[in-house]
Amino acid sequence: MSEDPPPIPTALRMQAHACRRLGSPLNGALLDRAAEDWLAGGPVKPLLAPWAHCGVRALFDAAASLRLIGAWHELALCGDDPAMAQAYAALDEAAIWTAARHAMVADRARMAAFMAHEPQTNEVRRAICLVGGFLEIAKVTGLPLRCFEIAASAGLNVSWDRYRYRMGEAAWGDPAASVSMDTDWQGPPPTAEIPIKVIERAACDRRPTDLTDPAQRRRLLAYVWADQPERLARIRAAIDVTLAQGVTVEAADAVDWTRARVAPVAGAATVLYHSVFWQYMPAQSQTALAQLIVDIGSSATRDAPFAWLRMEPDPQNMLEMQVRLTLWPTGTEQVLATVHPHGAMVNWTAT
Ligand SMILES: C[S@@+](CC[C@H](N)C(=O)[O-])C[C@H]1O[C@@H](n2cnc3c(N)ncnc32)[C@H](O)[C@@H]1O
């Protein structure tokens, strides 16, 4: 009888496949090497030892493979390991593997400490998935917006209205903005000739990334794949905007914060928004937050509307990412788009 393959190399190979599919052949190749290394008892094995008891699903939930490639990239970004830095700068996969294999022995404690920390990501191009929703809210309500982001990480998408977007034939935002993005826009363009005024903005995260701390900033960059330079350039520019604007992300649980901070106000559309966060809440919190949102919605009026805009996996198919909008007082819900998890594609389906 053949034995099941061990979960860790299986998870590494699956993540390798996902990286290739999401446009990072470099990490695809590196993670395949890591799987081989684990099977051969190389230095990957002790680094992944904290997850040795996990099945494949738990390894994915813990993002163990991403922690590993994040730890290598972080070492390159910090500059303490010139061989690693040079190999990453050249995007030379063989040289990165050689340097990483050496560093996993020589710098094991540092890498293990990096990997013990929960991954922290903030994807700027998710804003292009959400912006059509903000436009829709402004169009339908005709009101300025009060924007509340939960699970905002470093707060890079708190300033979504300060960025420039190209969405197929349409564009929105300041043409001179230092952060700009486009996407493979499919379907009709959104109505983009709408000036939007954000009159209030606030954000929370359970564990906000403090951008004034170089180590935390580097952690955020380390989780951006090195062979996607455009993503790295965009996040660096968004960090500058976020710091310059003095954006603050309050350290709070999404349910508590929403209860304390979010309520409709006359003369503005109040928007609660989030991206790629729902799955990180325990089921009990998901139920509590969903109920709280409905309760907030029930206090909305035509003069004080409330919108819930989110980019999250389709509840019926976790592999498909959707943008949904629910707008009160009517409570009308629509799927606006299906999207790539990093915003590389937006298939706009709203009528
Ligand atoms: C995958 S990151 C996404 C960050 C950001 N929304 C984005 O799309 O780039 C998930 C975020 O959810 C936050 N988070 C998880 N559970 C939370 C909770 N109960 N309350 C507040 N934030 C939470 C994490 O700290 C993390 O910053």
Side-chain angles (χ1 to χ4, degrees):
M1 219 168 70
S2 69
E3 280 181 30
D4 284 344
I8 288 183
T10 303
L12 288 166
R13 287 200 176 109
M14 285 169 70
Q15 185 62 57
H17 178 70
C19 285
R20 281 194 200 92
R21 209 168 41 82
L22 293 172
S24 180
L26 174 70
N27 284 311
L30 289 170
L31 285 166
D32 277 340
R33 286 194 193 247
E36 290 304 312
D37 184 89
W38 189 94
L39 286 166
V44 167
K45 195 161 189 170
L47 270 178
L48 288 175
W51 295 275
H53 62 286
C54 292
V56 173
R57 176 66 209 239
L59 286 161
F60 263 87
D61 288 347
S65 310
L66 296 179
R67 292 179 198 231
L68 182 66
I69 52 177
W72 301 339
H73 193 197
E74 196 274 340
L75 192 58
L77 290 170
C78 80
D80 289 351
D81 182 331
M84 198 76 157
Q86 275 168 24
Y88 265 94
L91 298 178
D92 179 337
E93 190 259 320
I96 293 172
W97 177 248
T98 304
R101 226 172 163 276
H102 176 262
M104 282 188 285
V105 177
D107 263 321
R108 183 188 298 168
R110 178 201 174 108
M111 287 195 186
F114 179 94
M115 290 172 66
H117 195 288
E118 191 181 26
Q120 198 57 288
T121 56
N122 199 179
E123 194 56 51
V124 181
R125 195 151 57 160
R126 288 186 187 140
I128 203 167
C129 304
L130 294 169
V131 71
F134 288 115
L135 285 162
E136 183 72 11
I137 298 162
K139 183 177 82 177
V140 172
T141 66
L143 292 169
L145 307 186
R146 301 169 65 231
C147 295
F148 296 85
E149 183 176 5
I150 47 178
S153 183
L156 301 184
N157 289 339
V158 169
S159 292
W160 64 269
D161 57 318
R162 298 176 173 125
Y163 302 160
R164 169 78 172 173
Y165 305 91
R166 176 152 288 288
M167 300 163 283
E169 298 298 302
W172 189 88
D174 179 359
S178 59
V179 177
S180 65
M181 60 196 92
D182 60 10
T183 186
D184 173 14
W185 189 275
Q186 299 172 11
T191 316
E193 311 77 41
I194 297 175
I196 300 182
K197 194 163 180 205
V198 176
I199 57 169
E200 187 179 343
R201 69 186 85 221
C204 82
D205 194 279
R206 188 180 57 180
R207 281 178 92 168
T209 298
D210 178 1
L211 292 174
T212 63
D213 174 355
Q216 292 192 44
R217 223 166 38 227
R218 205 164 52 237
R219 172 176 297 279
L220 206 56
L221 294 174
Y223 278 107
V224 179
W225 295 336
D227 55 345
Q228 300 188 330
E230 166 208 332
R231 257 177 95 201
L232 270 169
R234 192 182 304 114
I235 193 170
R236 286 193 163 103
I239 287 172
D240 289 346
V241 170
T242 305
L243 285 169
Q245 294 291 338
V247 168
T248 51
V249 179
E250 297 164 41
D253 175 73
V255 185
D256 299 339
W257 189 82
T258 303
R259 188 177 290 114
R261 296 291 302 271
V262 183
V265 163
T270 299
V271 186
L272 182 75
Y273 70 103
H274 52 86
S275 55
V276 194
F277 131 80
W278 201 261
Q279 74 212 69
Y280 298 104
M281 272 191 303
Q284 214 182 356
S285 301
Q286 291 178 350
T287 307
L289 186 53
Q291 185 57 52
L292 178 59
I293 289 168
V294 171
D295 292 346
I296 297 170
S298 68
S299 66
T301 63
R302 266 179 72 99
D303 190 34
F306 174 59
W308 179 25
L309 176 64
R310 65 275 193 199
M311 170 183 168
E312 297 291 346
D314 175 356
Q316 312 307 323
N317 172 11
M318 291 298 282
L319 294 176
E320 186 159 285
M321 198 63 84
Q322 288 183 333
V323 179
R324 280 179 187 245
L325 172 64
T326 315
L327 196 50
W328 285 271
T330 56
T332 314
E333 178 164 320
Q334 54 175 328
V335 176
L336 298 179
T338 53
V339 297
H340 178 280
H342 297 154
M345 183 280 296
V346 174
N347 183 11
W348 190 256
T349 53
T351 47

